[in-house]
Amino acid sequence: MWKASQHSKSCKTVSLEKTMEEIVKEQREVVKQVLLEHGNTVVDTVRVSQLYGGMRGILGFMCETSRVLPKEGILFRGHSIAKIEECLPRAADGFVPLPEGMIWLLMTGKLPTQEEVKYITKYLNEHSTLPEYVIAVMDNLPKDLHPMTHFAIGLQALQLNSVMLKERKEHPKTEWWKLALRDSMDLLSKITLIAAHAYNHNYRGEKICYQVDCELDWSANFTKMTGFKNPKFDECMRMYLTIHADHEGGNVSAHACHLVGSALADPYISFVAGLNGLAGPLHGLANQEVLTFLNELIRDVGKAPTDEQVLNWLKAWLKPGKVIPGYGHAVLRVTDPRFTSQENFAKRNIKDDAMVNLVHQLYRVVPNYLKSVKKVNSPYPNVDAHSGVLLSHYGMTQNDFYTVLFGVSRAIGLMSQLVWARAFMYPIERPDTITTDGLLELIKVKKEGKDKHGNDTKDAKNK
């Protein structure tokens, strides 16, 4: 059994659940008032192209934890990456925020104190024991199974822990968010152990009986469990888990988690649904594609090309219609602040790494070139342009494991979103659909000045 090596006393002056109780009451009143005053206000329209185009741009549901703005980048509970880096508590000898602080922030909406972050670290460590049956399930998985599948199976097996599954009927609906919170924090306390098992089982060929060190933070325990001993990699992991923690609610993984959760599935099942969406090549594999791209560039022009050599190679690369992985963003129209965070980390901690230098060189060359050749909505680097290179630098070269890391980090946001969905008692998600024939008929009716029920909208307006 994997368990904590020390069980220090829980901090009695801090409680995440009690802190959230008052905040939940306040926010329920805010939502109640918004619905009362603006319930019939139209906030969006839908085009036929959006119905066929993956619902892009349709304002569909609420997400309180984060928001992405074209010029500011992602805001976590209203706070920019720069603000997060300045205000979230750090490890005693560290320079980047602890992801435990992001857990507190996304759950409560409040920037945490050092004591509150210590409470989260203690909670995660003290609840980190993995059930023997979960370890047995994962031990018997084939070593050539994709690590994301291994990861998802381990997490889903944890469902037996769910208090929401066992106790929901014993509590009023207004209190279900507390059950979701307990399950969510349990999942977060064990997720790094399951990710570590996937790594050790698939790549190191080891069965480990590891004790979590209660003197270490969440990230440092994770890197230690996977065999890494470099304190700078601990810092890299803290940064990675913090900046990838959330990204609004409409992306595939977040939306899948929200959708399944809306049917009152427990957080374990809901998160695995989101995780399986994250495993898709159009969602969670971008930083792997960046590494493949960089290796091809180095193969053709060497490890230290001139800007001119890079530019000429890019022209040939783009000619058949390819794109540059790690560049462009659906919303952002500036350099992704998460890229900048990683760039600053690299400049502070890494010297003379050819791949890292190439990432920074591309940043000098690519945006200006893309702006000069055609209209590009966003010619700037996103978060994926840098993350894989950093992980590889510190020795985590197994790039098919990177989506597992993404999943560990994104659990922070998805669990926070799920808790608040239950706090607001959102109903089951069930949008209407229509066939192409039905759509053509609806368009015809609309052109005749009627609504979808056949009522004359022109007469209604005249009245």
Side-chain angles (χ1 to χ4, degrees):
M1 180 177 289
W2 294 9
K3 58 185 179 180
S5 60
Q6 302 177 38
H7 285 279
S8 54
K9 294 181 180 179
S10 298
C11 181
K12 295 181 179 179
T13 59
V14 178
S15 167
L16 180 60
E17 183 178 306
K18 288 181 179 178
T19 299
M20 290 183 66
E21 272 189 306
E22 285 303 313
I23 299 170
V24 167
K25 289 178 184 177
E26 293 171 4
Q27 291 304 306
R28 279 178 176 167
E29 287 302 313
V30 170
V31 171
K32 182 179 178 181
Q33 196 62 32
V34 169
L35 285 169
L36 184 64
E37 295 180 11
H38 307 290
N40 293 320
T41 301
V42 176
V43 295
D44 204 357
T45 56
V46 180
R47 300 185 300 276
V48 169
S49 60
Q50 291 175 301
L51 296 180
Y52 285 103
M55 299 192 292
R56 285 294 182 101
I58 297 174
L59 190 59
F61 63 99
M62 303 301 295
C63 173
E64 305 291 348
T65 53
S66 65
R67 185 182 180 194
V68 181
L69 300 176
K71 294 185 178 180
E72 291 85 352
I74 188 164
L75 301 178
F76 298 103
R77 289 288 192 171
H79 301 292
S80 67
I81 288 285
K83 181 76 170 179
I84 293 298
E85 291 178 330
E86 176 189 351
C87 296
L88 286 190
R90 309 166 185 177
D93 55 350
F95 294 92
V96 301
L98 289 163
E100 290 94 318
M102 187 63 82
I103 294 173
W104 186 277
L105 173 62
L106 294 187
M107 285 289 189
T108 69
K110 311 290 184 182
L111 288 168
T113 63
Q114 191 79 41
E115 184 182 15
E116 287 163 345
V117 168
K118 286 181 179 179
Y119 163 84
I120 296 292
T121 300
K122 280 189 176 184
Y123 189 100
L124 297 178
N125 284 338
E126 291 174 358
H127 292 78
S128 62
T129 301
L130 273 183
E132 292 286 359
Y133 77 90
V134 174
I135 300 170
V137 166
M138 295 189 296
D139 279 347
N140 285 290
L141 294 173
K143 294 184 186 299
D144 57 351
L145 188 68
H146 195 285
M148 278 294 275
T149 307
H150 183 129
F151 188 41
I153 289 170
L155 286 164
Q156 186 137 339
L158 279 175
Q159 192 205 23
L160 201 58
N161 277 19
S162 176
V163 293
M164 187 171 181
L165 184 66
K166 298 171 185 174
E167 301 179 18
R168 186 177 64 239
K169 293 181 180 179
E170 300 171 17
H171 298 267
K173 188 176 181 180
T174 54
E175 298 295 299
W176 287 354
W177 70 269
K178 294 181 181 179
L179 305 179
L181 177 62
R182 287 168 61 188
D183 279 357
S184 295
M185 292 301 293
D186 182 66
L187 184 148
L188 289 171
S189 72
K190 296 172 175 58
I191 193 169
T192 51
L193 279 74
I194 290 175
H197 189 286
Y199 187 83
N200 293 318
H201 183 78
N202 284 40
Y203 308 120
R204 301 176 74 201
E206 296 183 12
K207 286 187 178 181
I208 62 172
C209 182
Y210 197 78
Q211 292 185 327
V212 171
D213 185 346
C214 284
E215 298 304 313
L216 296 179
D217 60 86
W218 198 48
S219 305
N221 262 315
F222 182 33
T223 58
K224 186 177 180 181
M225 283 188 287
T226 48
F228 293 89
K229 299 177 182 179
N230 188 339
K232 288 187 177 180
F233 189 47
D234 295 348
E235 278 284 270
C236 182
M237 190 60 66
R238 290 167 187 142
M239 176 188 62
Y240 183 98
L241 296 180
T242 297
I243 67 175
H244 288 83
D246 203 40
H247 202 259
E248 294 190 329
N251 62 74
V252 171
S253 55
H255 190 191
C257 182
H258 174 87
L259 174 64
V260 174
S262 77
L264 297 183
D266 61 79
Y268 304 92
I269 295 294
S270 302
F271 177 69
V272 170
L275 193 66
N276 289 333
L278 186 65
L282 295 183
H283 186 21
L285 302 185
N287 59 5
Q288 293 183 42
E289 293 175 355
V290 170
L291 284 174
T292 301
F293 167 80
L294 292 174
N295 282 321
E296 288 195 40
L297 200 165
I298 288 175
R299 181 197 63 197
D300 292 342
V301 300
K303 292 184 177 181
T306 65
D307 286 0
E308 184 179 3
Q309 287 175 312
V310 170
L311 186 57
N312 289 335
W313 188 89
L314 289 173
K315 290 177 181 178
W317 173 269
L318 291 168
K319 195 171 184 179
K322 295 179 180 179
V323 298
I324 300 175
Y327 279 75
H329 194 276
V331 179
L332 285 175
R333 297 298 175 260
V334 294
T335 297
D336 191 334
R338 298 171 299 173
F339 173 88
T340 303
S341 181
Q342 294 176 97
E343 182 187 40
N344 292 337
F345 177 90
K347 288 178 177 178
R348 186 169 61 243
N349 294 287
I350 299 173
K351 307 296 181 185
D352 298 324
D353 181 296
M355 197 77 90
V356 171
N357 292 342
L358 188 55
V359 168
H360 298 173
Q361 184 177 17
L362 285 169
Y363 184 34
R364 295 197 305 268
V365 174
V366 172
N368 288 333
Y369 176 65
L370 289 180
K371 283 186 285 188
S372 72
V373 293
K374 58 181 178 179
K375 184 178 179 181
V376 178
N377 289 331
S378 180
Y380 302 104
N382 58 50
V383 67
D384 298 306
H386 214 315
S387 57
V389 170
L390 292 178
L391 297 169
S392 181
H393 170 82
Y394 287 108
M396 189 172 276
T397 57
Q398 303 86 356
N399 58 23
D400 56 351
F401 187 73
Y402 293 172
T403 44
V404 175
L405 293 182
F406 200 164
V408 172
S409 176
R410 195 53 61 87
I412 298 172
L414 267 55
M415 292 298 91
S416 301
Q417 290 181 29
L418 201 64
V419 170
W420 276 97
R422 299 287 70 78
F424 288 135
M425 296 175 287
Y426 289 147
I428 188 170
E429 186 176 304
R430 177 57 172 88
D432 287 344
T433 61
I434 195 168
T435 63
T436 296
D437 288 343
L439 178 62
L440 292 173
E441 181 62 30
L442 179 60
I443 292 170
K444 180 182 177 182
V445 169
K446 289 281 187 182
K447 286 182 176 179
E448 292 173 352
K450 299 180 183 296
D451 62 22
K452 65 180 180 179
H453 303 293
N455 299 317
D456 196 327
T457 56
K458 290 180 181 177
D459 287 350
K461 288 180 180 178
N462 290 335
K463 290 179 182 178

